[in-house]
Amino acid sequence: MKEINVLVTGAAGQIGYALLPRLASGETFGSDVLVNLRLVEIPQVVEKLTGTIMELEDCGFNTLGKVEAFSDIYEASKDVDWALLVGSIPRGITINGKKIEERGDLLKINGGIFTDQGKAIGENGKKDAKILVVGNPANTNALIGMIHANNSNQTWMAMTALDANRAKAQVAIKLNVAISEINQMIIWGNHSPTMYPDLENANINGKSVASLINDNDWIKNDFLETVQQRGKAIIDARGASSAASAANAAIETVKATLSPTEDGDCFSAAVISDGSYDIPKGIIYGFPLKTTTDGKIQIIQGLEINSYAKEKLEITTKELLEEKEAISEII
Ligand code: NDP
């Protein structure tokens, strides 16, 4: 059996709990791949992972390999093929008597975590490792990690697939169509309320979703706000942030990189900008992506961006440039 080493940080958290069985079950990497899991947690909670490991054993998956718990990211990163970086410090937490509310403070605190994680994965991970950052602020955390990994053969991504799924769900309800009929749902920019879900380029049987909906007011107001604020709406309703859907999006992102993307479709994730679509180089930005037949991840080129979309792309670009400025001391 082929073996794969998968590292998950924040493994004792909510998303981790929903994610781990699906990584180990064969659903993600296939029924012929043995998945070794490296579960990473901060020292204060690493003990909790003993329970997680027992549960994973009790699932009885044929595809579960060795499962280990770590609080040392350098040790955990040895020969990893995949790293799912879920753990990060949430807004509102009190550290040394100070409540962390400002995005700038949050960026710096998480910056320290992702500096180490980047170095560890860059030094110890497989040459062609893929890294998906889920922990927020995900795009900028991924940028910090990527810079400190300093390993150009590795691929760093930040998750925007949940935003794409949220957008698809709203379209499916509006048009009364199946989710599977909706293709090329792109989330441009930052995984934050400035993201831009693009209904002009999304299509059903090759027809633009925006033209099928034919209701600009709904698209520019109800739809946009519902997708951008969905995370908060779930917290308000559930009393906790989305975990099952976030884990699902992480699994879908991994799977999207494992087989070629069909023509006319894409998958959504944020990667380092190479200047495509006039987005400044050097920020991790949500683009339409495809996996090629030889397994490469590429930005899909040549899509049309109308003037309304351009304005939205500029807003989310500005936010990402400001985030980059806020962490300029550590990159
Ligand atoms: P969750 O597992 O619910 O969330 C983890 C991260 O994912 C947070 O940054 C959160 O951002 C983000 N996230 C949550 N929902 C979504 C979503 N819908 N889409 C995209 N991102 C999302 O948090 P828990 O508090 O349950 O668990 C976090 C764990 O991480 C803890 O066990 C903690 O100990 C651990 N941790 C581990 C570290 C490490 O391994 N080095 C470092 C820091 C923490 P947001 O806050 O914006 O919701």
Side-chain angles (χ1 to χ4, degrees):
M1 232 174 164
K2 197 183 151 201
E3 279 189 47
I4 188 167
N5 300 323
V6 181
L7 177 152
V8 179
T9 67
Q14 293 288 319
I15 296 175
Y17 191 74
L19 182 65
L20 295 170
R22 296 183 64 187
L23 288 171
S25 69
E27 175 199 346
T28 307
F29 296 103
S31 56
D32 55 347
V33 179
L34 200 65
V35 181
N36 299 318
L37 287 175
R38 312 275 178 77
L39 312 184
V40 181
E41 262 299 348
I42 50 175
Q44 300 91 304
V45 294
V46 72
E47 270 299 308
K48 274 196 184 175
L49 290 173
T50 318
T52 311
I53 293 174
M54 285 192 263
E55 280 213 71
L56 283 166
E57 286 167 357
D58 295 350
C59 286
F61 297 129
N62 282 327
T63 43
L64 179 64
K66 200 169 170 191
V67 196
E68 294 166 282
F70 298 88
S71 56
D72 180 339
I73 186 73
Y74 286 87
E75 231 186 292
S77 300
K78 184 121 190 37
D79 291 333
V80 291
D81 297 276
W82 266 98
L84 304 180
L85 305 183
V86 177
S88 71
I89 302 290
R91 193 188 295 243
I93 204 169
T94 302
I95 297 179
N96 298 333
K98 185 184 173 200
K99 197 163 185 202
I100 307 300
E101 293 287 8
E102 291 295 318
R103 201 170 170 88
D105 288 340
L106 194 69
L107 283 162
K108 281 184 198 140
I109 290 169
N110 280 307
I113 296 171
F114 284 84
T115 298
D116 268 351
Q117 292 180 352
K119 280 184 189 156
I121 294 165
E123 277 172 30
N124 292 346
K126 290 248 177 90
K127 231 176 37 202
D128 58 351
K130 292 193 177 71
I131 300 96
L132 178 67
V133 176
V134 176
N136 283 317
N139 295 51
T140 299
N141 287 342
L143 179 67
I144 296 166
M146 189 200 78
I147 288 173
H148 288 280
N150 194 19
N151 191 331
S152 58
N153 291 317
Q154 297 180 337
T155 306
W156 282 76
M157 292 177 278
M159 188 168 89
T160 56
L162 179 56
D163 309 310
N165 283 343
R166 286 169 171 167
K168 280 186 190 177
Q170 294 308 311
V171 168
I173 295 166
K174 177 81 175 165
L175 290 176
N176 195 20
V177 296
I179 297 275
S180 58
E181 293 180 59
I182 307 165
N183 291 311
Q184 202 162 260
M185 182 63 78
I186 308 161
I187 302 293
W188 297 94
N190 201 3
H191 170 68
S192 83
T194 66
M195 78 182 96
Y196 179 59
D198 178 352
L199 293 192
E200 291 291 337
N201 282 304
N203 73 78
I204 295 175
N205 286 328
K207 281 203 181 118
S208 156
V209 166
S211 66
L212 289 169
I213 290 176
N214 196 21
D215 180 349
N216 255 338
D217 185 48
W218 184 83
I219 292 174
K220 290 185 177 175
N221 297 302
D222 306 33
F223 167 75
L224 200 59
E225 197 178 322
T226 302
V227 175
Q228 290 180 332
Q229 299 297 335
R230 188 68 158 188
K232 184 177 178 306
I234 290 172
I235 293 174
D236 291 346
R238 206 174 88 88
S241 69
S242 40
S245 53
N248 179 61
I251 297 284
E252 284 189 2
T253 308
V254 174
K255 281 163 90 172
T257 68
L258 299 176
S259 54
T261 309
E262 284 182 20
D263 284 344
D265 203 0
C266 74
F267 71 97
S268 268
V271 293
I272 189 74
S273 171
D274 59 0
S276 296
Y277 297 98
D278 292 331
I279 304 304
K281 289 182 185 178
I283 49 178
I284 299 267
Y285 199 90
F287 282 111
L289 302 179
K290 69 173 178 191
T291 303
T292 62
T293 43
D294 56 354
K296 294 207 170 69
I297 296 169
Q298 289 180 351
I299 298 172
I300 296 173
Q301 301 294 334
L303 298 177
E304 253 182 62
I305 312 284
N306 65 23
S307 56
Y308 171 73
K310 250 188 202 140
E311 273 173 37
K312 295 289 179 192
L313 265 58
E314 276 166 19
I315 294 170
T316 193
T317 300
K318 183 167 173 282
E319 183 179 54
L320 280 167
L321 289 172
E322 284 167 4
E323 288 188 14
K324 187 175 178 184
E325 180 57 34
I327 47 101
S328 58
E329 292 159 23
I330 55 170
I331 56 174

